[in-house]
Amino acid sequence: MFLGLDSSTQSLSALIIDADRGTIVHEDAIHFGRDLPHYGSPSGFIPGGPDGEVHADPRMWIEALDLLLSRLAESFDLSQVTAIACSGQQHGSVYLDTTFSDRLAALDPTSGLVEQLAPALTRATSPIWMDTSTGEECAEIAAALGGNDEVCRRSGSVAIERFTGPQIRRFFKTKPEAYQRTAIIHLVSSFIGSILAGRDIAIDHGDGAGMNLLNLHSLDWDADLLDATAPDLRDKLPLPEASANAAGPVSGYYVSRFGFAETCEVVLSTGDNPSSLVGMGATEPGTFVISLGTSDTFFAAMSEAVTDPNGFGHVFGHPAGGFMSLICFRNGSLAREALRDQLGLAWSDFDHDGLAQTPPGNEGRVMLPFFGPEITPRRDFNGPVRNFPDDAPPGVQIRALLEGQFLNMRLHSQWLGEKPTLIRLTGGASQNDGIARLVADIFQAPVERFAIANGAALGAAIRAAHACGENLAQLTGSFCQPAADSRIEPNRSLAATYDSAMETYRTLLAGGR
Ligand code: ADP
Ligand code: XUL
């Protein structure tokens, strides 16, 4: 049995697999807003932060871990678990003083984690990936390196507001004494893994690459990026290591309190996107994952590490070695919902009154689908741009939005230099048949839909099994299966239509009509 944990924005979830039988045997989750309302974070973060700050209370993550494990121990014999691995929301960081390591080593199973660990925090709240407060710090880091091209060449991404390095720099600038008192900085994923292992564990290459600090060529912290970020930073960071490495046996706290075996191994943690790459069975190049959630994300294993010359996409470590791409599109479901509400429609009308009423390619009518600020490409908010009248019929608008979104995705994933042989679609909007068909036609690749709600926790459980010697391809083959009858083949006769729509889209984006 292998336990995967995922500490995401809104919840901490657990999934246990039986690797021999190929079955998921147990699942549970703590919803931060619902189960831990005393942290005042209905959606997993503290609302109303100033200047683009989005922070969460790390005590909430710690308390959730105790609560989840006590629930698991009530309904499952945890002594059967051979290994545990964690996944965490990327980029978020936790700041701790010199007492943290000793506290971890001496955890007392007769009292709770929060009271034992919270006194070590040097920063009461943790910036998370939704934080946009570090524009100035990004500019400073880029300038120190001689430009963003160099930051991207080394770290796989230009300096990005939500990435951990710029966040650390802001902490150093605004709270220099607290920064100085900080002995160790963890990512959410390595923080949770450290508590489980009872010692500070390494940061893996998957999540570590989301910091603007890891040099992807040497797979070590980059001396110039460290210097550009904050003083003495190397001393405050765990070492970067391969994701599949073991971190040591589970802490005695978990043996005494929840009945884990003393031999149960903790495997290094990784970020939720690298973990989902495994959980979606997309560990080989050629299979692209598109997740249509609040934002849309796109990720895939890479045959070779190339970076996005435009600076929109990211390169992270692949949890099984090598690299993966990740591209985020802020106007995902947010934009689809905005148009749905403007037109006063339901999701089912979206398909029937939208896509079904209009021809593929929309007779050349194209929309830049930005209903709010966008990060890929970077755009301040100025609303969608259309090459057709604003009062066109609903069907035209809907098709233009959806085609615009996937043309934008196709255009901004071209830097990968790879065409998909298969697309695995997940997230809320993947339920929509018309949307799934559109993805197949625009990318000219078969689409499989995934029912798995928790690809990141499944990926963590599979990684735990893989690190203990189980075969990765066999594991993904048995656990990462698409929903029955969910495969959609592309209509090959539409290839030219969408090549031409892409050119129209590109022209509109460049300011033409
Ligand atoms: P997240 O993980 O970001 O919370 P989910 O993957 O759960 O998001 O997706 C939720 C989103 O899916 C909702 O915001 C909603 O807009 C969208 N959604 C749900 N059902 C449909 C549908 N049938 N068609 C299109 N979008 C849908
Ligand atoms: C990736 C990112 C998000 C978080 C969400 O760069 O910021 O996908 O990992 O959990």
Side-chain angles (χ1 to χ4, degrees), residues 9 89-91 129 162 272-273 316 326 328:
T9 315
Q89 55 171 305
Q90 294 200 249
H91 319 301
W129 62 279
R162 68 184 188 284
D272 56 358
N273 293 296
F316 296 149
L326 174 95
C328 288

Side-chain angles (χ1 to χ4, degrees), residues 339 365-369 371 384-386 388 397 400-401 404 505 508:
L339 184 64
R365 290 168 292 200
V366 168
M367 181 195 288
L368 305 184
F371 283 70
V385 177
R386 303 166 172 88
F388 58 89
Q397 305 264 5
L401 165 67
Y505 185 88
L508 195 59

Side-chain angles (χ1 to χ4, degrees), residues 345-363 365 393-400 402-403 432-438 441 498:
L345 299 174
W347 285 132
S348 51
D349 310 323
F350 226 59
D351 211 351
H352 303 138
D353 298 351
L355 297 174
Q357 303 300 322
T358 43
N362 218 5
E363 295 169 324
R365 290 168 292 200
V396 170
Q397 305 264 5
I398 291 168
R399 182 173 281 280
L402 296 172
E403 289 189 343
N432 186 300
D433 293 337
I435 291 179
R437 158 141 303 290
L438 201 58
D441 290 343
Y498 283 119

Side-chain angles (χ1 to χ4, degrees), residues 48 54 60 63 83 151 158 171 238 295 311 317 344 418 422 424 428 467 477 482 513:
V54 183
M60 178 180 77
E63 189 170 339
V151 179
V158 298
F171 181 51
S295 305
E418 290 188 49
L422 177 66
R424 291 194 151 165
R513 294 304 283 178

Side-chain angles (χ1 to χ4, degrees), residues 311-365:
F312 303 131
H314 312 296
V315 181
F316 296 149
H318 184 312
F323 297 95
M324 65 176 281
S325 57
L326 174 95
I327 316 172
C328 288
F329 301 86
R330 197 179 170 284
N331 278 273
S333 286
L334 294 177
R336 292 184 284 273
E337 281 170 18
L339 184 64
R340 182 199 60 184
D341 296 345
Q342 260 176 33
L343 299 172
L345 299 174
W347 285 132
S348 51
D349 310 323
F350 226 59
D351 211 351
H352 303 138
D353 298 351
L355 297 174
Q357 303 300 322
T358 43
N362 218 5
E363 295 169 324
R365 290 168 292 200

Side-chain angles (χ1 to χ4, degrees), residues 115-435:
E115 58 197 273
Q116 300 186 68
L117 296 178
L121 291 166
T122 56
R123 193 178 194 179
T125 57
S126 290
I128 66 161
W129 62 279
M130 296 159 94
D131 190 293
T132 54
S133 67
T134 62
E136 199 176 285
E137 288 73 19
C138 288
E140 289 163 353
I141 292 167
L145 268 286
N148 253 326
D149 287 353
E150 186 58 16
V151 179
C152 188
R153 195 190 66 76
R154 294 184 193 213
S155 76
S157 304
V158 298
I160 300 279
E161 286 85 344
R162 68 184 188 284
F163 276 38
T164 322
Q167 295 291 343
I168 293 173
R169 180 162 178 77
R170 184 167 153 92
F171 181 51
F172 155 68
K173 282 170 58 186
T174 53
K175 298 269 167 47
E177 330 75 37
Y179 173 77
Q180 213 183 353
R181 271 196 299 115
T182 302
I184 188 140
I185 302 173
H186 274 293
L187 294 178
V188 177
S189 63
S190 65
F191 178 61
I192 303 291
S194 295
I195 298 174
L196 289 164
R199 52 181 283 266
D200 288 295
I201 68 168
I203 287 181
D204 86 301
H205 298 152
D207 216 8
M211 300 173 79
N212 281 141
L213 291 172
L214 187 73
N215 186 309
L216 296 185
H217 308 275
S218 65
L219 291 175
D220 191 6
W221 303 126
D222 184 283
D224 297 323
L225 286 168
L226 290 171
D227 287 348
T229 300
D232 305 320
L233 185 51
R234 185 182 286 273
D235 299 340
K236 300 180 197 285
L237 292 177
L239 288 175
E241 279 188 25
S243 319
N245 286 2
V250 75
S251 147
Y253 178 88
Y254 290 93
V255 177
S256 309
R257 194 164 167 138
F258 303 115
F260 280 92
E262 280 176 7
T263 50
C264 176
E265 274 292 327
V266 178
V267 174
L268 287 190
S269 308
T270 193
D272 56 358
N273 293 296
S275 198
S276 296
L277 186 82
V278 177
M280 294 292 295
T283 50
E284 293 298 321
T287 300
F288 290 10
V289 179
I290 296 177
S291 171
L292 304 174
T294 310
S295 305
D296 291 343
T297 53
F298 172 107
F299 52 86
M302 301 175 99
S303 315
E304 54 177 323
V306 285
T307 51
D308 180 359
N310 293 310
F312 303 131
H314 312 296
V315 181
F316 296 149
H318 184 312
F323 297 95
M324 65 176 281
S325 57
L326 174 95
I327 316 172
C328 288
F329 301 86
R330 197 179 170 284
N331 278 273
S333 286
L334 294 177
R336 292 184 284 273
E337 281 170 18
L339 184 64
R340 182 199 60 184
D341 296 345
Q342 260 176 33
L343 299 172
L345 299 174
W347 285 132
S348 51
D349 310 323
F350 226 59
D351 211 351
H352 303 138
D353 298 351
L355 297 174
Q357 303 300 322
T358 43
N362 218 5
E363 295 169 324
R365 290 168 292 200
V366 168
M367 181 195 288
L368 305 184
F370 311 132
F371 283 70
E374 181 52 63
I375 52 177
T376 309
R378 279 187 179 249
R379 289 229 150 195
D380 292 334
F381 179 55
N382 52 8
V385 177
R386 303 166 172 88
N387 71 353
F388 58 89
D390 290 6
D391 58 357
V396 170
Q397 305 264 5
I398 291 168
R399 182 173 281 280
L401 165 67
L402 296 172
E403 289 189 343
Q405 288 187 316
F406 298 113
L407 289 168
N408 188 52
M409 199 177 270
R410 185 175 140 182
L411 181 64
H412 290 101
S413 55
Q414 281 184 336
W415 60 274
L416 295 172
E418 290 188 49
K419 288 212 163 79
T421 49
L422 177 66
I423 293 173
R424 291 194 151 165
L425 205 58
T426 182
S430 66
Q431 298 163 33
N432 186 300
D433 293 337
I435 291 179

